[in-house]
Amino acid sequence: MVPVPHEPPPPGPGSPSRRRLFQAAGATAAAAFTPHLANSQVVPVRPPSPPTTPWAQPLPVQQPITPVSGLSPLASLIAGARECGRADHQAFARFPPQELYKVEAKVGSHSFHPELPTQEVWGYDGQVPGPLFHARYGKPILVRFENKLPNALQGFGSPDISVHLHNMHTPSESDGFALDWFSPAACGPTLARPGEYKDHHYPMVYAGLDAYGGIGDPREALGTCWYHDHRVDFTAPNVYRGMAGFFLVFDHIDTGNENDTSPVALRLPSGEFDVPLMIADKHFDSGGYLMFDQFNTDGFVGDKPLVNGKIQPFFHVAPRKYRFRILDAGTSRTIDLQLMYQNRPQGFQHIANDGNLFEAPLSRTNVHLGIAERADLVVDFSKFPVGSELFLVNRVLQLDGTKPEKDFLTTPIQLLKFIVDRPMQGFDPSRVPLKLREQPPINLNEVVATRELSFTRTRGSWAINDKLFDGKPILSPKKGTAEIWNLRNLSGGWAHPLHIHFEEGRILTRNGAPPPAWEKGRKDVYFIGPNENVSVFLRFRDFTGKYIIHCHNTIHEDHAMMGRYDIVS
């Protein structure tokens, strides 16, 4: 075992060095802010983004990234000499990688809209969104992330990175812990975390390895995941600059093949009819360049809706079923989505929440997503005449980064236009079966502890149990046990989409009552509105190490509503 080198942590929330950083940066930005005396905050006075014409560009639809034939230096259980510090890969010997990938975090050139200037972004392989991964349970992979960003801060964000795969059942050394960041390779060995790259080993196993055997319990499968930067204090600006991408996972049930003849295959829409949609909001300055405010600790919302990196794109579809994997990848904005045809909401099949297939599909006309929540929807466009135009809209009114308003928008915000005019190639073999994936039972006899976690506002920052994130563990659950965590929002008028790394949980109660149908399945993000209380059943299986719980309003996370928990033997 090679120990991780001892390193001083980066400036923590509330530390003198962090305060000096924000004081210096705030001085240069002071002209853009006016005092908000009631909260002792500063709020932005921003002119609106330049106008843009909707439906001026097609929706980008990605193809999966291709594995590489080899890596140099070779990947190994122990960190190599040119790799940044990390603990040994816990599952490397048991599940050696069968596929290898290499991804560079670097500056890229991106056009958000034809009427705005093409501009620099930070992205994985320099693109927005980052490369699309297609992975499969039972086929372990290793991804080498290289940091090729500029070695000095340019604008908002930080060139130091830590990559989190949200929310695979991954050993802690590959989870993307917020303090396990590493600097650009160009910085050389004088910085705290030298290294040209970091290898992430994803064993591609279900939870329940120890109890179920093989590759774990297939009832614990995930499907729609995503990866993003998780650098402490700078997650919000780094993700906002473009460092996020989809990671889709398949198995013997959700096979990714709508023509699969296996009796257990679901045959959901697949291939070109399985489309990830990353929804975010941005703000642009008077010159049309991306701007961001990382000094208002309430949060940040933009006035331009993006889907897959483009402002209000269009998508030509065939008259058949499509699977849309929708992610709210914004900084602070909650969304409530509807599909509109001739100003009337249309029905769809809601089949998965946070990447977890339901036991059975739900027929719905809207879906509500907090930041980092996902929803898989199946839309059947064969019900509409050829030439029809439908719109995916957001009907939530949200004025700032605190929370969505209770009232819906009188005129919903149009995000994406569908045009039903693609010719059909044969018939549609896909289906949405009445049974999707069996859910694992909730066994309360496994529970060995009940924890109270309060999410509060403390000293102008955000806290868990009145404690700001300092990198030290606040909880130490034992491997192989289960606990109940009561998540309480005591922060007044704010909403918190809370994310617990590593294990999917099950909501037992929301405000003392059973959860609604779409929250009864497995989840990893728990939206908690003002003064709400959500009770969650969690298990801690298979791996040990450090993980985190945090608010996925990434401004709140950076200031400093995050806590470390360690799974111990």
Side-chain angles (χ1 to χ4, degrees):
M1 175 82 67
V2 175
V4 178
H6 175 73
E7 303 145 359
S15 69
S17 55
R18 179 182 170 89
R19 285 196 297 269
R20 284 195 295 271
L21 167 67
F22 276 86
Q23 287 166 357
T28 64
F33 304 106
T34 57
H36 189 309
L37 299 179
N39 292 326
S40 298
Q41 294 287 312
V42 289
V43 295
V45 177
R46 298 196 304 263
S49 298
T52 52
T53 304
W55 331 130
Q57 56 195 330
L59 174 77
V61 179
Q62 296 176 292
Q63 295 300 310
I65 187 175
T66 303
V68 297
S69 58
L71 293 170
S72 179
L74 295 175
S76 62
L77 181 149
I78 299 171
R82 289 160 53 188
E83 186 177 359
C84 73
R86 62 162 171 82
D88 296 350
H89 290 309
Q90 295 181 57
F92 195 91
R94 185 175 177 185
F95 302 104
Q98 298 178 23
E99 290 186 339
L100 306 173
Y101 296 86
K102 186 171 74 170
V103 174
E104 296 178 349
K106 63 182 181 181
V107 173
S109 181
H110 184 75
S111 172
F112 292 99
H113 192 278
E115 296 168 354
L116 300 179
T118 298
Q119 54 199 277
E120 286 189 354
V121 293
W122 288 2
Y124 298 110
D125 282 349
Q127 64 186 60
V128 176
L132 169 66
F133 281 84
H134 276 193
R136 189 164 295 274
Y137 280 104
K139 182 176 283 190
I141 68 174
L142 184 136
V143 184
R144 175 164 295 175
F145 289 100
E146 297 185 1
N147 189 349
K148 297 290 185 68
L149 291 172
N151 61 6
L153 179 61
Q154 298 176 350
F156 49 84
S158 169
D160 308 316
I161 66 171
S162 179
V163 185
H164 171 51
L165 175 51
H166 177 139
N167 192 51
M168 284 299 293
H169 194 66
T170 301
S172 64
E173 64 276 0
S174 295
D175 184 64
F177 185 71
L179 285 170
D180 286 350
W181 51 264
F182 65 105
S183 300
C187 289
T190 57
L191 292 189
R193 290 187 180 272
E196 299 176 15
Y197 62 88
K198 183 176 182 182
D199 285 347
H200 287 231
H201 176 234
Y202 303 131
M204 301 311 302
V205 295
Y206 309 108
L209 278 172
D210 293 340
Y212 205 86
I215 62 168
D217 185 347
R219 295 173 297 184
E220 299 278 359
L222 285 149
T224 303
C225 301
W226 66 303
Y227 62 101
H228 60 84
D229 184 70
H230 217 308
R231 201 274 198 208
V232 68
D233 298 339
F234 292 96
T235 296
N238 282 5
V239 175
Y240 185 85
R241 291 188 78 151
M243 298 178 67
F246 275 103
F247 189 103
L248 309 185
V249 193
F250 302 92
D251 71 352
H252 65 293
I253 295 174
D254 189 5
T255 65
N257 180 5
E258 61 188 33
N259 293 295
D260 198 322
T261 58
S262 167
V264 299
L266 297 176
R267 289 173 44 199
L268 296 166
S270 67
E272 62 181 307
F273 309 108
D274 181 358
V275 183
L277 300 177
M278 182 181 290
I279 297 175
D281 52 299
K282 309 289 185 187
H283 203 98
F284 297 87
D285 64 21
S286 59
Y289 290 92
L290 198 64
M291 62 84 62
F292 186 72
D293 172 12
Q294 62 188 27
F295 308 111
N296 180 358
T297 58
D298 285 351
F300 179 89
V301 292
D303 61 1
K304 290 294 181 182
L306 275 68
V307 184
N308 291 356
K310 302 293 184 180
I311 299 173
Q312 293 180 293
F314 62 84
F315 186 37
H316 292 280
V317 297
R320 55 152 291 159
K321 292 185 289 298
Y322 282 71
R323 178 180 186 174
F324 295 108
R325 302 172 185 256
I326 300 177
L327 161 69
D328 181 351
T331 302
S332 306
R333 184 180 292 281
T334 300
I335 56 179
D336 191 289
L337 302 176
Q338 286 191 320
L339 184 67
M340 303 294 288
Y341 175 61
Q342 296 181 343
N343 294 320
R344 297 186 183 91
Q346 303 300 305
F348 49 76
Q349 298 294 101
H350 187 188
I351 64 170
N353 197 356
D354 285 1
N356 303 284
L357 285 171
F358 295 144
E359 203 159 71
L362 302 174
S363 296
R364 304 190 65 191
T365 58
N366 78 291
V367 63
H368 185 279
L369 298 177
I371 303 98
E373 287 189 294
R374 285 91 70 212
D376 285 24
L377 313 178
V378 175
V379 177
D380 189 351
F381 291 104
S382 69
K383 298 184 294 184
F384 305 99
V386 174
S388 298
E389 294 184 351
L390 296 89
F391 298 88
L392 184 67
V393 304
N394 173 28
R395 62 177 186 157
V396 165
L397 173 65
Q398 185 161 345
L399 304 175
D400 54 33
T402 59
K403 67 180 186 309
E405 302 300 314
K406 293 181 179 179
D407 298 327
F408 289 126
L409 289 162
T410 304
T411 303
I413 300 168
Q414 295 178 329
L415 308 177
L416 173 63
K417 179 165 77 170
F418 299 102
I419 307 168
V420 188
D421 64 354
R422 281 185 58 189
M424 280 288 292
Q425 302 294 328
F427 71 100
D428 178 5
S430 69
R431 63 180 186 176
V432 181
L434 296 179
K435 182 178 180 180
L436 295 171
R437 192 181 297 274
E438 181 184 354
Q439 298 292 299
I442 299 173
N443 183 4
L444 295 180
N445 291 327
E446 298 178 39
V447 173
V448 299
T450 298
R451 315 270 191 178
E452 302 293 327
L453 295 172
S454 297
F455 297 84
T456 58
R457 191 166 179 82
T458 302
R459 303 190 298 279
S461 292
W462 301 97
I464 301 177
N465 289 348
D466 292 326
K467 183 177 178 62
L468 302 178
F469 179 67
D470 61 4
K472 300 174 183 177
I474 60 173
L475 302 170
S476 296
K478 188 174 181 180
K479 176 187 170 185
T481 65
E483 298 185 355
I484 293 174
W485 290 7
N486 291 321
L487 311 176
R488 300 181 182 276
N489 182 356
L490 302 181
S491 58
W494 289 269
H496 299 300
L498 301 173
H499 174 41
I500 301 173
H501 283 215
F502 182 57
E503 280 273 16
E504 302 299 285
R506 302 288 290 277
I507 295 179
L508 300 174
T509 60
R510 176 176 284 278
N511 303 321
W518 53 89
E519 286 193 327
K520 288 183 178 178
R522 298 157 55 248
K523 282 185 62 63
D524 57 60
V525 178
Y526 311 93
F527 185 88
I528 305 182
N531 304 313
E532 286 197 313
N533 174 29
V534 172
S535 182
V536 179
F537 172 83
L538 288 162
R539 298 158 109 181
F540 307 93
R541 293 168 288 183
D542 306 323
F543 304 118
T544 59
K546 57 190 178 185
Y547 295 94
I548 49 181
I549 174 175
H550 62 89
C551 180
H552 227 297
N553 179 331
T554 47
I555 294 286
H556 294 184
E557 171 190 336
D558 288 343
H559 297 269
M561 188 174 274
M562 183 158 61
R564 169 180 169 178
Y565 76 92
D566 288 3
I567 302 175
V568 298
S569 300

